[in-house]
Amino acid sequence: MTESLTTLQARRIALAAQGFTARPHATPTMATLDRTLARTGVLQVDSVNVLQRAHFMPLYSRMGPYDVDLLRRAQHGTARRPRRLVEYWAHVQALMPVELWPLMRHRMESYRAERGKWGFTADAALEPQVLAAVRDRGPVTARDLEDDFSTGPRTKEHWGWNWSEARKVLDYLYLVGDVAIAGRNSQFEVLYDVPERVLPAAVLAAPTPTPQEAVTALVSRAARSHGVASSLCLADYYRLRLQPAPGKASVKVAIDELVESGELVPVAVQGWKRPAYLHREARVPRRVGARTLLSPFDPVVWERSRAEALFGFFYRIEIYVPAEKRVHGYYVLPFLLGDRLVARVDLKADRATGRLLVPGAFAEPGAPAETADELAAELRRLAGWLGLDDVVVGGRGDLAGALAAAVG
């Protein structure tokens, strides 16, 4: 008989799996970061910097205020310890543990066969030259190589992306694993280098799993990070194809293998239309005592239908929506209180004046009476972490007045 879970149980399982019930450390350390990364699996990277870079935020949401140099050290390594993280197309662009590199080789080979990802291809004749330049001069940005490999004026095709020839070739070489991302400069430009100067030797020497072995391992990791999930959730976490072409590695085969081994247990979740799977290590906490803001790129809200099923929270990022058509604002963060998403706030770090701006604040249906006070405390904590001195609440949203009064 299939086990059944209530929506509340599933929600608490999901939050525990993501690290929201872990005992907080007064001063987060590298061990805290490692523990948190073991929960999230990957950290999405995004260029928007209106508040804080996306990859820093999920750590804050789970660890509280922390020294961001911890993440930089994990990203770049130290003299005593090699890097733990590397950027790749793991969810979308994301920081992932270096040990995932072999699991991504099937994806790299797929991109090689397809000649890229974005619907336009690099100049194959330039590939060996660009690769040689990276090997000779790396780490380098695309701009560093632009003049050497320019073949004429840029066009504005392909959704308006005005990429140089060097950038197109570098992006292709990155997708297929011939170059790796060594880091980013102060302008957030990617620094490319050859993999042997980026990744630990043991990672590069690791055997390559078959495509199905890789997909099964990634589904296993997704299941651990989710706690409980549908097949769609499991596929989305590492952006695996739920319905692959015939003969290709399959998420369904992976799920069947993990069910057979006992790692996944089929369950029915109240209100879910799809069958669900519970990871054998998942636990149902009696309570979740969280109070934090979630990035728009947090794994809790990556898959919008999952967020709606778990929290009753309809969420869309409005960054690319014209200002006059936005419902909640430009950079809107859900507010997690206990085990519920009770509000959302539009935020901006005004670094020039040292203020955390809150243009809009909106309560969710049934938000508890203490929402404004708890959110005010969280905003002050976030401002302190960002090095901002004041929180200024605007007038948009049904929670704005109460929040302004609570902030004081």
Side-chain angles (χ1 to χ4, degrees):
M1 182 176 177
T2 302
E3 183 179 345
S4 296
L5 296 173
T6 65
T7 304
L8 177 59
Q9 288 173 320
R11 187 163 67 237
R12 288 177 175 173
I13 289 168
L15 290 170
Q18 279 288 316
F20 288 100
T21 58
R23 186 184 298 275
H25 292 176
T27 302
T29 64
M30 190 61 79
T32 320
L33 184 142
D34 286 342
R35 180 186 72 180
T36 305
L37 285 172
R39 297 292 191 181
T40 65
V42 291
L43 301 171
Q44 184 171 338
V45 174
D46 188 83
S47 61
V48 176
N49 195 29
V50 69
L51 181 70
Q52 173 60 292
R53 298 287 186 194
H55 54 293
F56 291 111
M57 281 299 298
L59 298 174
Y60 166 83
S61 298
R62 292 153 179 79
M63 294 162 45
Y66 71 100
D67 182 354
V68 295
D69 191 56
L70 287 174
L71 183 55
R72 295 193 178 100
R73 284 162 49 199
Q75 231 178 310
H76 300 290
T78 66
R80 296 177 56 190
R81 191 166 182 182
R83 74 169 68 218
R84 296 165 167 80
L85 299 169
V86 66
E87 271 192 56
Y88 189 65
W89 201 261
H91 171 70
V92 290
Q93 188 82 3
L95 285 166
M96 68 178 190
V98 293
E99 61 265 25
L100 263 64
W101 188 266
L103 298 180
M104 293 295 161
R105 287 179 182 144
H106 77 290
R107 183 167 292 176
M108 296 171 186
E109 290 309 309
S110 175
Y111 290 146
R112 195 183 299 276
E114 296 167 6
R115 289 294 306 162
K117 180 178 177 63
W118 303 113
F120 62 94
T121 56
D123 184 347
L126 290 179
E127 289 169 27
Q129 300 171 53
V130 173
L131 183 56
V134 173
R135 183 170 286 111
D136 182 54
R137 296 167 54 184
V140 291
T141 66
R143 193 155 44 90
D144 293 333
L145 302 183
E146 188 171 311
D147 290 342
D148 295 349
F149 297 100
S150 176
T151 58
R154 300 188 198 178
T155 67
K156 291 192 175 181
E157 300 171 353
H158 310 296
W159 314 291
W161 292 3
N162 192 16
W163 283 7
S164 67
E165 291 303 314
R167 175 67 161 73
K168 292 176 187 177
V169 174
L170 284 166
D171 189 72
Y172 172 76
L173 294 174
Y174 149 75
L175 286 172
V176 302
D178 289 346
V179 301
I181 293 180
R184 290 177 180 260
N185 65 15
S186 58
Q187 286 77 48
F188 208 60
E189 294 174 295
V190 169
L191 292 164
Y192 300 92
D193 208 343
V194 290
E196 56 265 33
R197 290 200 293 254
V198 174
L199 292 150
V203 169
L204 293 174
T208 299
T210 67
Q212 187 60 58
E213 288 170 342
V215 168
T216 300
L218 291 171
V219 170
S220 171
R221 284 174 172 265
R224 186 174 286 106
S225 291
H226 271 321
V228 63
S230 70
S231 57
L232 178 64
C233 303
L234 294 173
D236 180 72
Y237 210 85
Y238 289 98
R239 289 296 166 92
L240 303 167
R241 291 176 180 171
L242 189 57
Q243 301 293 339
K248 298 290 186 179
S250 166
V251 170
K252 183 181 184 306
V253 169
I255 292 172
D256 290 344
E257 290 178 355
L258 295 169
V259 168
E260 185 176 355
S261 71
E263 184 171 342
L264 294 184
V265 178
V267 293
V269 178
Q270 177 189 8
W272 288 25
K273 295 179 181 179
R274 294 174 179 267
Y277 303 90
L278 180 71
H279 193 272
R280 66 184 171 200
E281 295 177 5
R283 61 188 186 87
V284 188
R286 296 178 65 180
R287 64 180 297 273
V288 177
R291 191 202 70 195
T292 195
L293 287 157
L294 304 179
S295 159
F297 306 104
D298 193 287
V300 171
V301 292
W302 269 347
E303 216 294 300
R304 307 309 186 202
S305 62
R306 176 179 172 84
E308 195 163 359
L310 282 173
F311 298 95
F313 189 79
F314 182 82
Y315 187 50
R316 297 293 183 269
I317 295 176
E318 299 182 90
I319 292 171
Y320 304 110
V321 175
E324 66 277 7
K325 295 184 178 181
R326 291 178 193 139
V327 176
H328 297 108
Y330 179 77
Y331 201 75
V332 176
L333 283 74
F335 178 47
L336 175 65
L337 185 63
D339 56 26
R340 295 173 57 198
L341 296 176
V342 300
R344 62 187 88 197
V345 282
D346 186 18
L347 296 181
K348 178 180 180 179
D350 188 345
R351 297 174 180 88
T353 63
R355 299 180 301 166
L356 177 60
L357 304 181
V358 190
F362 307 83
E364 290 298 296
E370 66 271 19
T371 295
D373 289 336
E374 295 286 358
L375 179 54
E378 172 57 22
L379 289 169
R380 285 191 289 265
R381 184 177 78 142
L382 176 64
W385 178 59
L386 295 174
L388 304 173
D389 301 319
D390 199 9
V391 177
V392 179
V393 181
R396 291 189 64 243
D398 59 347
L399 190 60
L403 181 61
V407 166

